[in-house]
Amino acid sequence: MTVTVLYKDPESKPVPEVPPFCRRSFTVEVEGDLITSNRSHPLVLGDPTTFWTTLVADAAAGDLTVLRRGGDMCLVARVSYPRGARFAVVMAESDWDLVRPARPAASHAPGVTRGWARSP
């Protein structure tokens, strides 16, 4: 199953509600119990494996801010750089039900190393 994820940088401000729109998006694939990121994973969110591992672990620990509106969810995801940054990640609740129990596969996104693009 391919899951489309919308995201928005809330500019380090609290996210009080599901954003009415997000200009950016990326997709992930969920097959069985594995989440696989592809080339569409945005560099600003860091390494795909680390991003999904952190998001799923925060949810399991009850440390993830989750907002709901009309079948959509907004997960306030933290990223490793810049320190303290958060992103509003929006997806359908049914897609989150697929992603949440899965574990991230090793990152295969070309050019991504610890959230930075490699030099050619």
Side-chain angles (χ1 to χ4, degrees):
M1 167 109 197
T2 299
V3 175
T4 298
V5 180
L6 306 173
Y7 73 100
K8 177 178 181 172
D9 178 358
E11 301 171 5
S12 302
K13 297 176 184 171
V15 180
E17 62 186 20
V18 177
F21 67 93
C22 297
R23 282 187 246 168
R24 298 177 179 96
S25 68
F26 63 101
T27 59
V28 294
E29 293 179 4
V30 181
E31 187 172 341
D33 63 347
L34 286 179
I35 302 169
T36 305
S37 295
N38 59 28
R39 291 177 183 222
S40 69
H41 183 86
L43 292 176
V44 72
L45 297 180
D47 174 71
T49 302
T50 302
F51 174 78
W52 288 110
T53 299
T54 301
L55 192 69
V56 170
D58 285 352
D63 293 334
L64 184 65
T65 299
V66 178
L67 307 165
R68 289 179 167 81
R69 183 189 71 210
D72 287 334
M73 305 186 64
C74 177
L75 312 167
V76 183
R78 62 186 172 103
V79 293
S80 57
Y81 183 86
R83 187 178 173 108
R86 301 254 193 267
F87 284 81
V89 177
V90 180
M91 66 177 77
E93 285 191 58
S94 57
D95 288 345
W96 176 241
D97 290 341
L98 295 172
V99 172
R100 186 183 59 235
R103 70 187 192 320
S107 176
H108 295 294
V112 178
T113 305
R114 294 185 186 170
W116 297 98
R118 288 188 191 136
S119 300

